[in-house]
Amino acid sequence: SSMAAPTLQPSNFLLTNLKADSTTKTLLQRCQDLVKIIEDYPAKELHPVFPWLVESVFGSLDGVMAGWNLRLLNSRTNDYNVVMEFLSPGGPMMKLVYKLQAEEYKYEVPVSYLPGPVKACIQEGVLPDCPLFHNKLHPPLSALHNLNIALNPFEFFMYNFAFCLITPKGGPQGHQGGSTDTAYFVLVDSYLKYFLPVEGSVPASPFSDSRGSVSAPSPSPRSASVSFAGYGVHSPSLLKHHIFHQPPVNADPAAQEIWRSETLLQMFVEVWLHHYSLEMYQKLQSPQVKLALLQYRLSMSSLLCQPQAPPGSGTLHSYQEPFSPTEEHVLVVRLLVKHLHAFSSSLKPEQLASSPSAHSHSHAHASPLEEFKRVVVQRFVQQKLYLFLQHCFSHWPLDASFRAVLETWLSYIQPWRYTGEKSSCSPEPTRTVPDKWESFVQENLLMYTKLFQGFLNRSVRTDLVNARNALMVFRVAKVLAQANLPEMLQKGEQLFLEPEHVLHHRQPRGYLTPGQGGSYLSSRQRAMTDMVFKVKSHVYAFEGQDCQYSQMFGAETRGAVMKLVQMIARARHTAQKMALQSSQGAASSSFLSWFGAAPPDLNGTFAGAEPEESGECLKKTHELLERALENLCHVFKLNQSQVTQLMSTLDSSQDEGNSGQLPDCIQGEDGLVLTDLGRRQIISGLRRFELRYQGDPELQPIRSFENALLVRLLYRMASAFNQKFGGHMDALCSRPDFLGRLGRHYLSEEGPGSRLSLRPLASYRNLLAAALLSLGPLASTLLILAGTLLQGLLSTLLGDRLKRR
């Protein structure tokens, strides 16, 4: 090996040493070495080390190497602080990225590891809808299947960081629950705060290239005045031939100011939010949608504020991805959503004043970061998040882990919660949505209405007696009931349903800004027409031109809401009953256990029971469902008295027939099948199936409250007696007088004749009674017989009396 050493290049020598150290040194020692190396070595020698280092930190793209396990590390683990310091936005790793960035090095990622939609586009030779992946193919289209995409150091680093979240986790299985204190989660948060700052601007890179500006931005550079117009509708036919050979454009330094912010966001969105079905992807490609959007864009006065255009590619029949994001994945997406709302809400008031629908020229003076804040949610996130959530709503298991998806949705549809101004001061019950958010609500109409319908569809299939499911219904009803919100949504639906012909009165000169005095329409009419265009284009872009829009306040959804209301009423009633049962059960079991006669599991706890089925929790469920009902009645203007009536009839019918009512079942192929609610009703003792023994009562299985030896002995005695005196007993029972009735009371009539049964004497309760009186076996038997005789005489006599009356 000493012979081979001199032939090694210094850079390879560095890499070889680092690889050797990675197996022998602690993480702390390795990080300390790396800090010095990054500081002292030139970019040329660090260049070969970088891809290896990124992989050893984040793990390999195929998930075989786990790297530093950022998704399992938390502040209670040893290496946590070392890792956080090394990877922080201003730390050594980022310094290395900038050092390499200044020299314009490139790093390759196989196209096969790109997100599904992007990969499918590229393999068909079509421009993907994300500018991040333009001009980067290497080699150009010659070998379609071994394609690589060349990324600059910042893009390469962020891509691997984002991808780390969706690679199969190497840790112990079952650790898929979402935790928000892991190194990964905290790093996402700190990168977002650093590169998309709510206050101030993004700190400059410590390294510059020879021309004194940061190296070329990730999307094809654009001039500041047309910033973001590049996310428009592309015609695949024009682009198919030469998209991979576009010459680079000299970047405007002002546009460069935010290229890192843009790159970071696009990487996160592309990698985390690309889960949707082939059908959905094709719908977004339909020529009508693209044409509608193109006309719409031409007609609008501003190019800057429109919802993101659909991807500009052909029908990708080859593309279908399995969908299984973890709870952790969804929680990270929620973090992104909350931060973006805070980021875009931090727009300076003077920028906001010239609202998004104003003409782009009025923003010439705005800094690129401010401009980015204005368009970030709708341009980069809205459509992909909608598809992601819609898919989660229809594919997520019907269990309490859905809470992560639900809260992500509720965070997106309430941007006013993240403005940072008066979140804590306004009292909860009187929360009002400020009027300035009306345009957000209307331009995100489907996010509210279609996803609410998806939620309804899930809710009617879940067990609402479970406190966690009840909480979810309560949360949604509470959010929708915020003052002003139902009205804003109704107005949005009206704008969408506005007939087309109203819009065709606009003359071309109407597209000029009011300041240019180009329109004969009043400014109010113009604003209204603009809103109609925006809402329509939003719905068509998301759902296709042929979408059948189902109104949130229409008959069908109201019907579904009424079904949910009935379920809530039923679940409230069950929860109330179970709470009562569990408190009664606790009392009665302590009393009966003294006799050793308590029925098992009467106190509502059972094997595998979740602690939320305690009496306290059931009361909480009842309260949550009650408030959910009130809020749903408010949003859908349901008649409170009708609902009350529905509930009282439900209560009385359940009370009257409760004992005789079957547990909740559905008709299956092989007969009745218990639902989750039905199981709970049986476990809690609220309802049960009536089981009747159909055979000879004397031959029933021996019960736990009977003495097996006595049952068998008494059966033999009774059988011998019945055989010998069967005829006499029949004669006695057929007599019409008092003796005949007394005979019929004691002798069971089975099949052809009458028989004596001694089996009750084998019951432990009767034996216990005798034992309590400290009697011998003979005396106790005589006493029991005497008692039985007396009881028989009395019931026969009383029976006669009652009949005479």
Side-chain angles (χ1 to χ4, degrees):
S1 65
S2 58
M3 291 293 291
T7 62
L8 284 172
Q9 292 301 307
S11 52
N12 293 349
F13 187 62
L14 178 62
L15 181 56
T16 311
N17 282 347
L18 285 170
K19 281 182 178 173
D21 288 350
S22 66
T23 53
T24 54
K25 292 189 174 181
T26 66
L27 189 66
L28 174 62
Q29 289 171 321
R30 283 182 282 148
C31 285
Q32 287 169 340
D33 292 348
L34 282 164
V35 170
K36 289 195 197 79
I37 289 167
I38 291 165
E39 198 63 53
D40 302 344
Y41 280 75
K44 189 172 75 175
E45 298 195 25
L46 293 170
H47 166 57
V49 171
F50 183 61
W52 170 81
L53 181 59
V54 167
E55 190 168 84
S56 61
V57 172
F58 299 129
S60 54
L61 293 173
D62 57 12
V64 173
M65 278 171 53
W68 290 359
N69 268 323
L70 299 179
R71 289 157 58 197
L72 297 178
L73 281 185
N74 58 38
S75 53
R76 297 178 295 285
T77 45
N78 292 336
D79 292 326
Y80 179 83
N81 291 331
V82 178
V83 167
M84 296 309 282
E85 214 170 299
F86 187 74
L87 295 176
S88 73
M93 186 69 159
M94 205 48 82
K95 197 175 250 184
L96 170 61
V97 169
Y98 294 144
K99 200 167 184 173
L100 295 167
Q101 188 74 40
E103 302 294 326
E104 303 194 6
Y105 283 112
K106 293 281 186 278
Y107 300 91
E108 296 194 345
V109 170
V111 165
S112 56
Y113 285 113
L114 295 182
V118 179
K119 176 171 68 182
C121 275
I122 290 172
Q123 286 174 348
E124 292 216 351
V126 177
L127 185 68
D129 79 313
C130 178
L132 198 56
F133 302 110
H134 298 179
N135 318 326
K136 302 220 169 121
L137 272 185
H138 187 80
L141 285 189
S142 51
L144 261 180
H145 291 288
N146 304 321
L147 283 174
N148 285 327
I149 195 153
L151 302 177
N152 70 35
F154 186 80
E155 291 166 340
F156 183 75
F157 175 82
M158 281 306 167
Y159 186 76
N160 279 274
F161 175 67
F163 205 88
C164 177
L165 177 64
I166 62 170
T167 46
K169 190 182 288 187
Q173 275 313 305
H175 187 285
Q176 295 287 25
S179 166
T180 55
D181 65 348
T182 63
Y184 190 80
F185 196 90
V186 177
L187 280 171
V188 170
D189 192 42
S190 55
Y191 288 159
L192 285 170
K193 285 174 177 155
Y194 186 89
F195 292 107
L196 301 173
V198 171
E199 281 171 30
S201 56
V202 186
S205 157
F207 300 93
S208 294
D209 63 19
S210 53
R211 293 182 301 284
S213 69
V214 183
S215 66
S218 57
S220 27
R222 303 165 299 232
S223 71
S225 60
V226 293
S227 181
F228 309 111
Y231 300 89
V233 182
H234 305 294
S235 157
S237 56
L238 296 174
L239 294 165
K240 209 160 189 162
H241 306 298
H242 51 81
I243 52 168
F244 302 119
H245 312 289
Q246 290 173 348
V249 185
N250 287 328
D252 181 303
Q256 300 217 1
E257 189 184 310
I258 57 150
W259 77 265
R260 282 173 298 164
S261 315
E262 234 180 284
T263 300
L264 169 105
L265 180 63
Q266 284 184 324
M267 282 302 184
F268 287 0
V269 169
E270 287 302 316
V271 177
W272 298 340
L273 298 182
H274 65 269
H275 294 94
Y276 32 94
S277 66
L278 172 63
E279 182 196 13
M280 179 55 71
Y281 202 80
Q282 287 176 329
K283 198 185 277 184
L284 295 174
Q285 312 306 320
S286 80
Q288 303 94 304
V289 175
K290 286 195 286 243
L291 189 62
L293 268 138
L294 194 58
Q295 289 173 336
Y296 162 62
R297 281 172 168 273
L298 292 171
S299 71
M300 293 311 290
S301 44
S302 158
L303 275 175
L304 294 183
C305 60
Q306 303 329 327
Q308 188 176 340
S313 44
T315 52
L316 303 174
H317 37 264
S318 58
Y319 164 55
Q320 175 68 66
E321 238 182 327
F323 176 80
S324 55
T326 56
E327 205 174 330
E328 175 191 25
H329 180 161
V330 176
L331 287 170
V332 172
V333 170
R334 179 171 186 237
L335 178 68
L336 174 69
V337 166
K338 287 162 72 172
H339 183 79
L340 289 178
H341 277 327
F343 176 66
S344 50
S345 295
S346 65
L347 193 59
K348 296 193 185 84
E350 66 270 17
Q351 300 299 333
L352 205 62
S354 48
S355 75
S357 55
H359 196 260
S360 53
H361 289 317
S362 63
H363 296 293
H365 63 281
S367 79
L369 192 69
E370 294 295 305
E371 190 74 344
F372 189 47
K373 285 179 182 180
R374 269 187 347 101
V375 299
V376 68
V377 173
Q378 278 184 288
R379 177 67 62 252
F380 290 87
V381 180
Q382 186 187 356
Q383 185 182 44
K384 290 192 167 85
L385 181 69
Y386 171 71
L387 295 171
F388 177 80
L389 288 174
Q390 195 184 39
H391 219 82
C392 284
F393 272 52
S394 52
H395 290 70
W396 203 273
L398 289 168
D399 62 28
S401 67
F402 183 69
R403 181 77 193 275
V405 178
L406 188 86
E407 293 301 334
T408 305
W409 173 47
L410 296 180
S411 291
Y412 182 81
I413 64 172
Q414 299 181 88
W416 45 89
R417 285 184 52 200
Y418 306 101
T419 54
E421 44 212 39
K422 52 176 180 7
S423 52
S424 51
C425 357
S426 67
E428 278 285 301
T430 56
R431 276 207 313 206
T432 303
V433 177
D435 292 337
K436 69 172 183 180
W437 291 103
E438 186 169 28
S439 60
F440 177 89
V441 171
Q442 289 161 0
E443 288 174 52
N444 283 275
L445 189 63
L446 291 170
M447 280 283 197
Y448 294 85
T449 62
K450 187 88 187 269
L451 291 179
F452 172 70
Q453 289 158 355
F455 177 71
L456 267 183
N457 188 25
R458 286 184 67 88
S459 298
V460 294
R461 291 167 22 236
T462 54
D463 168 19
L464 298 179
V465 181
N466 180 315
R468 294 173 186 177
N469 292 333
L471 177 64
M472 288 195 264
V473 173
F474 162 74
R475 288 278 296 122
V476 173
K478 183 184 171 191
V479 166
L480 289 176
Q482 287 173 90
N484 301 9
L485 189 53
E487 288 71 23
M488 287 177 181
L489 289 169
Q490 261 181 304
K491 190 177 164 195
E493 290 200 322
Q494 285 158 5
L495 289 168
F496 174 70
L497 297 166
E498 190 74 30
E500 298 289 337
H501 65 83
V502 178
L503 306 179
H504 293 311
H505 295 312
R506 292 187 83 167
Q507 300 300 313
R509 63 179 181 279
Y511 305 143
L512 301 174
T513 59
Q516 293 163 300
S519 175
Y520 64 85
L521 291 173
S522 73
S523 60
R524 195 168 163 279
Q525 278 175 305
R526 196 179 307 107
M528 164 77 166
T529 312
D530 272 359
M531 270 325 291
V532 170
F533 263 115
K534 279 183 185 171
V535 177
K536 280 183 187 288
S537 93
H538 151 72
V539 174
Y540 293 144
F542 281 24
E543 290 284 298
Q545 189 79 23
D546 54 347
C547 78
Q548 298 296 308
Y549 181 78
S550 170
Q551 290 182 62
M552 179 156 167
F553 298 98
E556 199 181 330
T557 308
R558 271 181 84 88
V561 170
M562 279 310 285
K563 187 178 170 189
L564 179 62
V565 163
Q566 278 176 306
M567 283 190 61
I568 291 174
R570 209 170 284 144
R572 263 186 68 203
H573 188 84
T574 306
Q576 208 169 15
K577 269 282 179 34
M578 283 166 71
L580 193 67
Q581 196 88 11
S582 102
S583 56
Q584 284 174 347
S588 62
S589 68
S590 59
F591 173 72
L592 287 170
S593 61
W594 188 70
F595 287 109
D601 294 332
L602 201 65
N603 60 0
T605 59
F606 51 97
E610 291 181 69
E612 74 244 21
E613 295 321 320
S614 63
E616 270 314 296
C617 221
L618 289 161
K619 282 181 200 141
K620 177 91 176 139
T621 299
H622 186 266
E623 189 188 321
L624 287 169
L625 293 173
E626 194 161 20
R627 290 167 66 192
L629 266 182
E630 285 167 19
N631 284 327
L632 286 171
C633 289
H634 167 74
V635 174
F636 291 93
K637 308 276 188 289
L638 301 178
N639 184 330
Q640 191 78 51
S641 61
Q642 275 180 331
V643 175
T644 317
Q645 194 182 351
L646 169 88
M647 295 187 64
S648 58
T649 56
L650 185 81
D651 286 4
S652 58
S653 71
Q654 284 201 345
D655 286 339
E656 285 162 16
N658 207 27
S659 54
Q661 244 185 333
L662 287 180
D664 198 56
C665 293
I666 52 171
Q667 188 67 45
E669 285 178 24
D670 305 318
L672 292 176
V673 180
L674 273 175
T675 62
D676 285 345
L677 178 60
R679 283 190 199 93
R680 242 170 240 278
Q681 288 166 338
I682 289 177
I683 289 161
S684 60
L686 280 179
R687 296 190 193 173
R688 58 183 178 175
F689 289 107
E690 285 303 325
L691 298 175
R692 286 196 191 85
Y693 181 76
Q694 304 287 325
D696 181 346
E698 290 299 295
L699 297 173
Q700 289 185 56
I702 294 168
R703 301 292 201 275
S704 56
F705 56 78
E706 293 176 316
N707 181 302
L709 191 69
L710 270 179
V711 170
R712 293 188 182 102
L713 186 67
L714 291 168
Y715 174 68
R716 287 204 187 112
M717 286 168 61
S719 297
F721 185 85
N722 289 333
Q723 218 168 352
K724 192 158 190 178
F725 300 108
H728 296 288
M729 290 190 291
D730 286 342
L732 175 68
C733 289
S734 57
R735 289 172 58 152
D737 57 2
F738 178 76
L739 274 177
R741 281 198 297 282
L742 195 62
R744 286 193 293 276
H745 178 85
Y746 285 117
L747 303 170
S748 57
E749 294 186 77
E750 280 297 317
S754 305
R755 295 192 301 179
L756 172 71
S757 171
L758 298 176
R759 186 160 172 167
L761 299 177
S763 159
Y764 282 122
R765 285 176 197 172
N766 293 335
L767 294 169
L768 180 70
L772 284 171
L773 296 168
S774 310
L775 300 167
L778 186 66
S780 57
T781 305
L782 288 170
L783 184 73
I784 289 169
L785 286 170
T788 310
L789 184 67
L790 186 65
Q791 181 259 342
L793 282 165
L794 284 170
S795 57
T796 309
L797 279 166
L798 287 171
D800 285 357
R801 289 272 164 81
L802 288 167
K803 273 181 195 163
R804 283 190 202 118
R805 284 187 185 177

